[in-house]
Amino acid sequence: MEEYPEELRTPPVALVSLVGCAEHHALISSYLNAEQPPINTLALPDFSKIALLLSKPNKSDPLSGDNGGILKKDWLLKHRTRIPAVVAAFFNYDHVSGDPAQWLQVCSDIENLKNVIRPKNIKLTVVVVQSSSSNEEISEDRMIALRKRAEIDAKYIVVFNHSDDSQLKQSFYRHVAVIFFVVLMSGGLCIFVVNVNVECGFCRLRSTLAELANVYYKEEGRKIKTRVEKKSFNSHELNVRYCFKVAVYAEFQRDWVEALRFYEDAYHILREMVGTARKLPLIQRLVQIKTVAEQLHFKISTLLLHGGKMVEAITWFRQHNVSYRRLVGPADVSFLHWEWMSRQFLVFAELLETSSKTIPSNSNITSGTADQPLTEWEFQPAYYYQLAAHYLKEKRTSLELLLTMSETADELDSNAESVGPSIYVGQFARFLEQGDALTMQSLTDEEYTHYAIAEGKRFQDSSEIIAFLRKAYESFSILKAQRMAYFCGFHMAKEYFGAGDLSNAKQLLDSVAHLYRQEGWVTLLWEVLGYLRECSRKCGAVKEFVEYSLQLAALPVSSDSGVQSFRRKECGPVGPASLAQREIIHKEVFELVGGETGLASVEGISDLKVNGENPLHLEIDLVSPLRLVLLASVAFHEPMIKPGVSTSITVSLLSQLPLTVDIDELEVQFNRSECNFVITNSERPSAAIYSGQQGCRVERAPSLALVTNKWLRLTYAIKPGQLISHMQSLILYSHHNLHKRHLRK
Amino acid sequence: MIVCVAVVGHQNNPLYIQSFTEADDALKLHHIVHCSLDVVDERVNNPKKSGSTLNETFLGLLYPTENYKVYGYLTNTKVKFILVTTDLDVRDADVRNFFRRFHAAYVDAVSNPFHVPGKKITSRTFAERVSNIVKSFGLSSAG
């Protein structure tokens, strides 16, 4: 929203011009500006300046050529800062009632002023400033002469009595009553002298100005409205422009209903223009239409939301989205479309966010039309922030694609330099300096595309995407929509990952993985674990890499789970979720823990290996996610054992890894170390590496192969006299080559 | 066209999820189904706010994504059915009808004595039946 110019973002404020008697301008300006509704002032010290202000731009100005433009870019600003609705001409009492020479000067000033403002239909009010010391009244004749000279109604001549400035200020701020004259003359020349305090005196001036300003905007609006009604235009562009102007004039009058109606009319006519007769080249025309549509849409949404019509605003936005989202345009510039889409969502999110503070949140959410009910999320800015991020990603993708395809992109940069926004909203042109003059040249679509690409390359979208997602993430979290929040979190993590900010990525991914694990969404977990695994690989964190790899390998995804068609791109760094992929990961991780391969960290300084010097300990406790990989259970055959009586225990192991795992050695530890024993794999005697205490009991098992999803049960007798009654705690160590996995039971 | 249907259990765990698209967007659909559970929770916890009546199994449109519409249904045993469709003009009656038939298929599937409640539905008959219901979506609105 900040991208929009101020005059578009805020409702129009009437502009009046104060001319002459410059010493009073500051006070009057600040007063007019502080009141509700505010009036902006354009203070000119003397009468000669106004002619400059209102002078018409040179018709032969090359920049004003009509290139099928819809809205002039500076039109709004012009009415906010340059073209006053009313000119208030200030004259000193002395000059009005003074000698003929002074009076003549007054007359000529008024005459000049009239000549300047009349063609533009600007209203005039005359203010006679009387010093407090002089209590004389202006002669009736002079008053009539003044009125006639200025050709204004008597009520628009204001006599302004003041003490010196400092006193006036004091009075103004302290609200001390001073005498203020307002002379009203009507018909039979009555003079009323009204005693009011200064503030009310200002009120009087203000209301006169406000009234005249209103008349001005009304008349201007009506003039253009007549053109719209009589259809006295020869193009859709003009039709849209006229509707827009009528709407703006209505806004100046604070007639929101009329403003809304005409903005909507302009919007609909504009929509019809897509695909009709074209003056501009195709791409630029579409860009222009979309830019104008964006502004009209923004005005409509703002008016609806400020009017408290949330449901209407959301329905309108939905319609806006439906109307334009398929208007991608040629593939070369599709990124412009996605950027535009992103901005629509972002701006609406911001609008919704600011207005939802003022509108009570518990509005009935089942509203909307019967066939198109609105849903919960559509009332939440978070929903729009998330989609703004989505489209910005879309933009980045298409721009990247474009850049990789066009080899000439670099050389075109210099060409794009002289290009900039033209005088119409959404149009661009090349500016050429010819001596002192600046000429504007329209662009071909090709030139425009080059310019747009050069501009597009200047921006880093990643941080913006993250910012939008973070907003969505936070508001969804507040709404207790944790799945939506984590969904945004996951996308945020992907952005961090892409940008190389691994610690942020990992933190988010871990929390997301936790949720997916908890709810058993394995396909989603697969993707997240894939990113986590890649993060740990890049960080060179061997242990984490092994943990994530094992989890991935043990995830119960198989090719019959209906997800075999996952795109590689879509699945993240780990590839599609399938049995084959699990097996690949399994082999990879066992080669790593077997010391056969190393892990290349992102720095690539050295391969990180798992070996005797770098042993790896994985602990699988009751809450470890690795329980999915390897589960151990121990059972004593007797519930109670008396000292001296022999009993047996069974150690059961279950692996979910896709391939069979051969264990070299299994160490069973009790809380009394003398009971510990080791089970070695008789098939792989050479691999036995147990280096525990001397004299420890060693058992040989015929095979220690863990087949997928099959319990491996090992039963051993425990020698009498070694047990004590509370022997419950037991730790299993399984050794795979040099490296240990702890199983705590 | 229906692009995805899902059965979601008490712990919000997927019991059955099947996508029916040629395009490679299955993962995206899984995300959509998962996110829609938030809306189901919201509707179930605040029935007044969402205006649904008591004992109404059909939860209506959960949320519109950019290209899909997501509908929900909650059985009396609190199992959730989610439907994702690409049709922009969907009649409520069609969706209700779909869910009714889907519910019947689900009941038959879990009535199988070999089915473990709370576990994934792996029955091939169920899959075929669902596939038929999906294919006939929108066609049988008159009947």
Short mmCIF file of all heavy atoms in Angstrom, two decimals, chain B residues 2 4 26 29-30 36 38 40 45-46 48 51 57 59 67-68 77 81 85 106-107 115 120 129-130 138:
data_model
loop_
_atom_site.label_atom_id
_atom_site.label_comp_id
_atom_site.label_asym_id
_atom_site.label_seq_id
_atom_site.Cartn_x
_atom_site.Cartn_y
_atom_site.Cartn_z
N ILE B 2 -13.54 -33.66 -9.07
CA ILE B 2 -12.97 -33.87 -7.74
C ILE B 2 -11.50 -34.24 -7.91
O ILE B 2 -11.16 -35.12 -8.71
CB ILE B 2 -13.72 -35.00 -7.01
CG1 ILE B 2 -15.14 -34.53 -6.67
CG2 ILE B 2 -12.98 -35.39 -5.74
CD1 ILE B 2 -15.96 -35.55 -5.97
N CYS B 4 -9.36 -34.57 -5.03
CA CYS B 4 -8.83 -35.27 -3.88
C CYS B 4 -9.95 -35.54 -2.87
O CYS B 4 -10.82 -34.70 -2.66
CB CYS B 4 -7.74 -34.41 -3.23
SG CYS B 4 -6.81 -35.24 -1.96
N ALA B 26 -0.21 -33.73 -6.19
CA ALA B 26 -0.73 -34.50 -5.07
C ALA B 26 -0.28 -33.93 -3.73
O ALA B 26 -1.06 -33.82 -2.79
CB ALA B 26 -0.30 -35.95 -5.22
N LEU B 29 -2.16 -31.01 -2.74
CA LEU B 29 -3.49 -31.37 -2.28
C LEU B 29 -3.45 -31.89 -0.84
O LEU B 29 -4.35 -31.62 -0.04
CB LEU B 29 -4.11 -32.40 -3.21
CG LEU B 29 -4.43 -31.87 -4.60
CD1 LEU B 29 -4.78 -33.00 -5.55
CD2 LEU B 29 -5.58 -30.88 -4.53
N HIS B 30 -2.41 -32.62 -0.53
CA HIS B 30 -2.28 -33.11 0.85
C HIS B 30 -2.18 -31.93 1.81
O HIS B 30 -2.78 -31.94 2.88
CB HIS B 30 -1.03 -33.99 0.98
CG HIS B 30 -1.22 -35.35 0.39
ND1 HIS B 30 -0.59 -36.46 0.89
CD2 HIS B 30 -1.97 -35.78 -0.65
CE1 HIS B 30 -0.94 -37.52 0.16
NE2 HIS B 30 -1.77 -37.12 -0.77
N SER B 36 -7.13 -27.63 5.82
CA SER B 36 -8.58 -27.47 5.97
C SER B 36 -9.06 -28.01 7.32
O SER B 36 -10.14 -27.66 7.77
CB SER B 36 -9.31 -28.16 4.82
OG SER B 36 -9.13 -29.54 4.93
N ASP B 38 -8.03 -27.22 10.10
CA ASP B 38 -8.16 -26.06 10.99
C ASP B 38 -9.58 -25.50 10.95
O ASP B 38 -10.14 -25.12 11.96
CB ASP B 38 -7.19 -24.96 10.57
CG ASP B 38 -5.81 -25.16 11.15
OD1 ASP B 38 -5.71 -25.81 12.21
OD2 ASP B 38 -4.85 -24.66 10.56
N VAL B 40 -12.24 -27.12 9.99
CA VAL B 40 -13.15 -28.10 10.60
C VAL B 40 -13.16 -27.91 12.11
O VAL B 40 -14.23 -27.82 12.74
CB VAL B 40 -12.72 -29.54 10.24
CG1 VAL B 40 -13.59 -30.55 10.96
CG2 VAL B 40 -12.79 -29.75 8.74
N ASN B 45 -15.84 -26.41 16.95
CA ASN B 45 -15.74 -25.79 18.27
C ASN B 45 -16.64 -24.57 18.43
O ASN B 45 -17.02 -24.23 19.54
CB ASN B 45 -14.29 -25.38 18.55
CG ASN B 45 -13.40 -26.60 18.62
OD1 ASN B 45 -13.87 -27.69 18.93
ND2 ASN B 45 -12.13 -26.43 18.30
N ASN B 46 -16.93 -23.89 17.34
CA ASN B 46 -17.80 -22.72 17.42
C ASN B 46 -19.00 -22.89 16.51
O ASN B 46 -19.13 -22.22 15.51
CB ASN B 46 -17.05 -21.44 17.00
CG ASN B 46 -15.82 -21.24 17.83
OD1 ASN B 46 -15.87 -21.26 19.05
ND2 ASN B 46 -14.71 -21.06 17.15
N LYS B 48 -21.97 -22.07 16.80
CA LYS B 48 -22.91 -20.94 16.72
C LYS B 48 -22.41 -19.91 15.71
O LYS B 48 -23.15 -19.39 14.90
CB LYS B 48 -23.03 -20.26 18.08
CG LYS B 48 -24.18 -20.85 18.88
CD LYS B 48 -24.37 -20.11 20.17
CE LYS B 48 -25.10 -20.96 21.17
NZ LYS B 48 -24.79 -20.59 22.54
N GLY B 51 -22.91 -20.80 12.31
CA GLY B 51 -24.31 -20.88 11.94
C GLY B 51 -24.80 -22.27 11.59
O GLY B 51 -25.91 -22.44 11.12
N THR B 57 -24.11 -32.93 9.68
CA THR B 57 -22.83 -33.57 9.37
C THR B 57 -22.06 -32.80 8.30
O THR B 57 -20.85 -32.77 8.30
CB THR B 57 -23.05 -35.00 8.88
OG1 THR B 57 -24.05 -34.96 7.89
CG2 THR B 57 -23.44 -35.91 10.01
N LEU B 59 -20.38 -29.89 6.62
CA LEU B 59 -19.78 -28.66 7.15
C LEU B 59 -19.71 -27.54 6.12
O LEU B 59 -19.36 -26.42 6.44
CB LEU B 59 -18.37 -28.94 7.67
CG LEU B 59 -18.27 -29.93 8.83
CD1 LEU B 59 -16.82 -30.30 9.07
CD2 LEU B 59 -18.87 -29.34 10.09
N ASN B 67 -7.27 -22.27 -6.64
CA ASN B 67 -7.81 -23.04 -7.75
C ASN B 67 -8.76 -24.15 -7.32
O ASN B 67 -9.25 -24.89 -8.14
CB ASN B 67 -6.66 -23.67 -8.54
CG ASN B 67 -5.71 -22.61 -9.05
OD1 ASN B 67 -6.13 -21.65 -9.66
ND2 ASN B 67 -4.44 -22.75 -8.72
N TYR B 68 -8.93 -24.26 -6.03
CA TYR B 68 -9.74 -25.37 -5.54
C TYR B 68 -10.81 -24.86 -4.57
O TYR B 68 -10.71 -23.77 -4.04
CB TYR B 68 -8.89 -26.38 -4.80
CG TYR B 68 -7.68 -26.86 -5.55
CD1 TYR B 68 -6.42 -26.38 -5.25
CD2 TYR B 68 -7.83 -27.79 -6.57
CE1 TYR B 68 -5.30 -26.81 -5.95
CE2 TYR B 68 -6.72 -28.23 -7.28
CZ TYR B 68 -5.45 -27.74 -6.97
OH TYR B 68 -4.37 -28.17 -7.66
N THR B 77 -19.24 -40.22 14.37
CA THR B 77 -18.15 -40.73 15.20
C THR B 77 -16.92 -39.82 15.10
O THR B 77 -15.81 -40.23 15.42
CB THR B 77 -17.75 -42.16 14.76
OG1 THR B 77 -17.45 -42.12 13.37
CG2 THR B 77 -18.85 -43.15 15.03
N PHE B 81 -14.44 -36.13 6.67
CA PHE B 81 -14.25 -36.37 5.24
C PHE B 81 -13.95 -35.02 4.60
O PHE B 81 -14.62 -34.03 4.88
CB PHE B 81 -15.53 -36.92 4.59
CG PHE B 81 -15.98 -38.25 5.13
CD1 PHE B 81 -17.31 -38.64 5.01
CD2 PHE B 81 -15.09 -39.11 5.74
CE1 PHE B 81 -17.73 -39.86 5.49
CE2 PHE B 81 -15.50 -40.34 6.23
CZ PHE B 81 -16.83 -40.71 6.12
N THR B 85 -12.20 -29.95 -4.83
CA THR B 85 -12.67 -29.96 -6.22
C THR B 85 -12.15 -28.73 -6.97
O THR B 85 -11.87 -27.70 -6.37
CB THR B 85 -14.21 -30.00 -6.29
OG1 THR B 85 -14.61 -29.73 -7.62
CG2 THR B 85 -14.85 -28.99 -5.37
N TYR B 106 -17.66 -45.66 3.38
CA TYR B 106 -16.75 -45.68 4.54
C TYR B 106 -17.28 -46.62 5.61
O TYR B 106 -16.53 -47.44 6.16
CB TYR B 106 -16.59 -44.26 5.10
CG TYR B 106 -15.92 -44.22 6.45
CD1 TYR B 106 -14.54 -44.37 6.56
CD2 TYR B 106 -16.67 -44.05 7.62
CE1 TYR B 106 -13.92 -44.35 7.80
CE2 TYR B 106 -16.05 -44.03 8.86
CZ TYR B 106 -14.68 -44.18 8.95
OH TYR B 106 -14.07 -44.17 10.16
N VAL B 107 -18.58 -46.54 5.88
CA VAL B 107 -19.18 -47.39 6.91
C VAL B 107 -18.97 -48.86 6.55
O VAL B 107 -18.58 -49.69 7.38
CB VAL B 107 -20.68 -47.07 7.09
CG1 VAL B 107 -21.36 -48.13 7.92
CG2 VAL B 107 -20.84 -45.70 7.72
N HIS B 115 -10.73 -54.89 9.54
CA HIS B 115 -10.25 -53.50 9.62
C HIS B 115 -10.00 -53.12 11.08
O HIS B 115 -10.82 -53.40 11.95
CB HIS B 115 -11.28 -52.55 9.02
CG HIS B 115 -10.93 -51.10 9.22
ND1 HIS B 115 -9.97 -50.47 8.46
CD2 HIS B 115 -11.38 -50.19 10.11
CE1 HIS B 115 -9.86 -49.22 8.88
NE2 HIS B 115 -10.71 -49.02 9.88
N LYS B 120 -5.22 -47.01 8.88
CA LYS B 120 -5.48 -46.60 7.51
C LYS B 120 -6.40 -47.60 6.81
O LYS B 120 -6.33 -48.80 7.07
CB LYS B 120 -4.17 -46.51 6.74
CG LYS B 120 -3.34 -45.38 7.23
CD LYS B 120 -2.32 -44.93 6.21
CE LYS B 120 -1.75 -43.63 6.71
NZ LYS B 120 -0.82 -42.99 5.86
N ARG B 129 -14.76 -48.23 -4.93
CA ARG B 129 -16.08 -47.63 -4.74
C ARG B 129 -15.94 -46.09 -4.69
O ARG B 129 -16.74 -45.39 -5.31
CB ARG B 129 -16.65 -48.15 -3.42
CG ARG B 129 -18.16 -48.21 -3.46
CD ARG B 129 -18.68 -49.04 -2.34
NE ARG B 129 -19.88 -48.42 -1.79
CZ ARG B 129 -20.48 -48.85 -0.72
NH1 ARG B 129 -19.99 -49.88 -0.04
NH2 ARG B 129 -21.57 -48.25 -0.28
N VAL B 130 -14.91 -45.63 -3.99
CA VAL B 130 -14.68 -44.19 -3.90
C VAL B 130 -14.43 -43.62 -5.29
O VAL B 130 -14.97 -42.59 -5.68
CB VAL B 130 -13.50 -43.89 -2.96
CG1 VAL B 130 -13.05 -42.44 -3.10
CG2 VAL B 130 -13.88 -44.18 -1.53
N GLY B 138 -21.54 -34.98 -9.52
CA GLY B 138 -22.12 -33.91 -10.33
C GLY B 138 -23.03 -34.42 -11.44
O GLY B 138 -23.86 -33.70 -11.95
#
